[in-house]
Amino acid sequence: MRLRALLDTDALGLRLLGGEEELDRTVRGVMTTDLRDPSRYLSGGELVLTGLAWHREPADSERFVRILTAAGVAGLAAGEAELGSVPEDLMVACARHRLPLFSVVEDVSFASITEHVVRQVSSERAGDLAAVVDRHRRLMSAGPAGGGPEVVLDLLGSDLDLRAWVLSATGRQIAGSALAGQGPALPAALRARLAGEHLAAVRAGRRWPHRVTTGAGGTTYSLFPVDGGGREGHEVRETVLSEWLLVVEADAGDWPEERLDLLQGVTQLIAVERDRRDAARTVRRRLAQEVLELVQASAPPAEIAARLRVAAPVLLPGLGTAPHWQVVVARVEWSGADVAGGPVAQALLEEILVDPTAPGPEPSDRIAVAHTGDEAVALVPLPALAQDPPDAEPTVRADALLAAVREPLAHGLADDGRLTIGVSAAVLSAEGLRGAVEEARHARRVAAARPGSVCAAGHQELASHVLLLPFVPDDVRRAFTARLLDPLREYDRRHRAELVPTLEAFLAADGSWTRCAAGLHLHVNTLRYRVGRIEQLTGRDLSRLEDKLDFFLALRLG
């Protein structure tokens, strides 16, 4: 289709601001972006839709338009909702670079324009495939009543014989086609692997689709990002952990461009549904933010209780009595970059704490998460329990919280990111909420003292000696562990020995020679030799409680 045809469609509400002589340009696709530099995600011929969030000063317009022109886009359509009108400097820059510029009135959504363009382009390129796209568009435009992403996936199955699923970044299945449902469901381990492979590919900047083959001669899956636009640099780190992906049971490596364009259109439809679900969390986020601000301001318990009474029906509809509450605190940190971790941690907690059994249309409607700075705080309502204190299920447990999502999150965080989570005990009333927040924060600091990119700790661990470890200065920790463990590590390296594992096993066996030897499959005399060597190298005596404790702490700190 040509740009001129867009002006002839009154329903799109487009107004030409400049570039009338260039309206015969061919439109080959559409992309929505607010990136300052979306060039790596442009292939030429796109109609670019932007909400102008990138525009901070007049010089930004020249830079943005120059990037679009170099990429060979067909035209630019700017929304008026963000700034009220299209900036004059943007019109000047487009005129200088001969880039057609349209304005989009506030009451016309980018999704409507995207649907129209993709439908027209698909009909010109793919013939009968366009009928599939059209059916997808019409069904999805009906909103929740249209069936959500399942409708799109069902049509992929019925019209193209493709088994497909939509997964979250943590590997949770959000939707699956009826065709996919006729066979074995994707196992949890496979979902985690696919999500991890996807996150690794996005972090590495590889072009989609990403292909994953399971086992020798196994099934090939093609992964398509549901991101609604390109990202780069720190924006990848900010958004990739909350994105969805489309999984298709097929090898898309030899697909024609027409079919790849179709799948890209499908991901844009699914992105609309993801944005709708994200918008539905606004009320819960606001409730959590209000409660957190009251708690941090040391507001009277009665005032906090009043806000909790408002939140309870939203989070646990139909509940006759006030629930108990549990607090989960998360922090995401990136090395070597000034990236706001709070929104990332908020999105991750909303995903990790999903309860598929919760009432209501969305599986996460029992979760209220606020964020402040680099930290996110979740209020998790629990049905009133008979126990006092409430220590029975159902409660959030730190040891199980990350079990299913550790693999994909490790890929998404890569080598420069870290997620740490702390979980409080359940509290009976508003009076205990401030203490629960502090307890969860202390537990998170305990988790932060552990190695690994994804760690969690619960309130039970705050009664342990490990509570002290996060507060030991880094230089003291390094000196302490080096003095005790470096001689053993060096000996292991030079002689291919196993003194450090032997030490760990000996302490775990409470100094029992027979149990330790049996666990290591060693003769007791061999174990005695190794322990003697440890004592000789370190000058310590493992029969003394003080030295055992020092070794134990050194292993934890190291």
Side-chain angles (χ1 to χ4, degrees), residues 488-497:
L488 306 183
R489 290 168 176 160
E490 176 63 18
Y491 187 89
D492 284 349
R493 185 187 65 80
R494 290 170 53 196
H495 299 279
R496 298 184 180 180

Side-chain angles (χ1 to χ4, degrees), residues 188-541:
L190 176 57
R191 296 199 309 269
R193 180 188 170 189
L194 294 175
E197 294 279 0
H198 166 73
L199 291 174
V202 173
R203 288 298 308 270
R206 299 201 297 270
R207 291 182 60 85
W208 59 266
H210 316 131
R211 291 173 290 159
V212 178
T213 301
T214 58
T219 304
T220 297
Y221 297 90
S222 296
L223 314 179
F224 297 82
V226 180
D227 58 14
R231 301 152 306 195
E232 65 174 12
H234 69 82
E235 288 158 326
V236 172
R237 288 181 285 198
E238 289 180 359
T239 60
V240 68
L241 291 170
S242 61
E243 298 292 359
W244 292 358
L245 64 144
L246 173 65
V247 178
V248 178
E249 190 182 65
D251 187 345
D254 56 356
W255 280 7
E257 287 295 326
E258 291 82 359
R259 178 164 285 205
L260 289 175
D261 287 346
L262 172 65
L263 265 293
Q264 184 180 19
V266 169
T267 63
Q268 290 173 340
L269 287 176
I270 298 172
V272 172
E273 173 66 11
R274 183 207 59 215
D275 293 343
R276 184 191 69 79
R277 294 192 185 191
D278 190 62
R281 293 173 172 169
T282 302
V283 173
R284 299 191 294 276
R285 288 175 172 175
R286 186 170 65 248
L287 286 171
Q289 198 72 41
E290 291 172 355
V291 172
L292 179 61
E293 290 172 359
L294 290 174
V295 169
Q296 292 181 326
S298 300
E303 187 176 354
I304 299 174
R307 291 308 303 161
L308 291 177
R309 283 194 293 272
V310 173
V314 176
L315 302 177
L316 286 177
L319 188 68
T321 59
H324 300 320
W325 299 91
Q326 200 167 6
V327 175
V328 181
V329 170
R331 186 181 182 92
V332 173
E333 299 170 290
W334 305 100
S335 61
D338 183 18
V339 180
V344 184
Q346 180 183 48
L348 277 178
L349 273 190
E350 288 172 334
E351 172 62 30
I352 293 170
L353 292 170
V354 159
D355 180 2
T357 66
E362 307 296 348
S364 58
D365 62 0
R366 289 178 59 174
I367 304 163
V369 187
H371 72 81
T372 172
D374 289 335
E375 182 182 77
V377 180
L379 298 176
V380 181
L382 308 170
L385 303 171
Q387 287 85 349
D388 188 9
D391 56 0
E393 298 292 349
T395 56
V396 176
R397 300 189 61 84
D399 53 1
L401 196 60
L402 300 177
V405 300
R406 192 178 302 275
E407 178 183 349
L409 286 182
H411 285 285
L413 293 164
D415 296 327
D416 57 352
R418 195 154 192 258
L419 167 67
T420 51
I421 290 179
V423 182
S424 79
V427 294
L428 299 170
S429 62
E431 285 83 353
L433 200 58
R434 180 177 179 83
V437 171
E438 291 306 314
E439 187 175 58
R441 283 174 170 158
H442 279 299
R444 191 208 63 78
R445 286 194 283 271
V446 170
R450 297 171 177 167
S453 59
V454 182
C455 298
H459 63 94
Q460 303 92 338
E461 300 174 66
L462 297 186
S464 170
H465 61 278
V466 296
L467 174 62
L468 302 174
L469 302 187
F471 307 103
V472 178
D474 287 344
D475 55 345
V476 176
R477 292 158 61 113
R478 286 192 294 267
F480 180 72
T481 56
R483 185 168 62 252
L484 282 176
L485 299 183
D486 280 3
L488 306 183
R489 290 168 176 160
E490 176 63 18
Y491 187 89
D492 284 349
R493 185 187 65 80
R494 290 170 53 196
H495 299 279
R496 298 184 180 180
E498 295 183 347
L499 295 187
V500 173
T502 299
L503 174 62
E504 291 175 319
F506 187 73
L507 295 175
D510 296 324
S512 169
W513 296 98
T514 54
R515 280 194 288 123
C516 181
L520 293 174
H521 305 289
L522 297 175
H523 193 279
V524 172
N525 289 340
T526 304
L527 176 61
R528 291 185 184 277
Y529 172 81
R530 290 187 181 180
V531 170
R533 178 63 68 181
I534 291 171
E535 293 175 334
Q536 180 184 11
L537 290 170
T538 60
R540 299 300 184 106
D541 183 354

Side-chain angles (χ1 to χ4, degrees), residues 158-195:
S158 61
D159 289 55
L160 298 179
D161 197 29
L162 291 175
R163 287 161 48 91
W165 301 263
V166 177
L167 304 181
S168 73
T170 63
R172 178 174 62 89
Q173 182 168 314
I174 295 164
S177 65
L179 180 63
Q182 293 170 6
L186 286 179
L190 176 57
R191 296 199 309 269
R193 180 188 170 189
L194 294 175

Side-chain angles (χ1 to χ4, degrees), residues 95-116:
R96 180 181 300 115
H97 293 276
R98 302 177 63 85
L99 180 66
L101 175 64
F102 304 86
S103 67
V104 182
V105 297
E106 186 172 352
D107 58 351
V108 174
S109 69
F110 284 176
S112 300
I113 300 173
T114 298
E115 291 171 6
H116 178 82

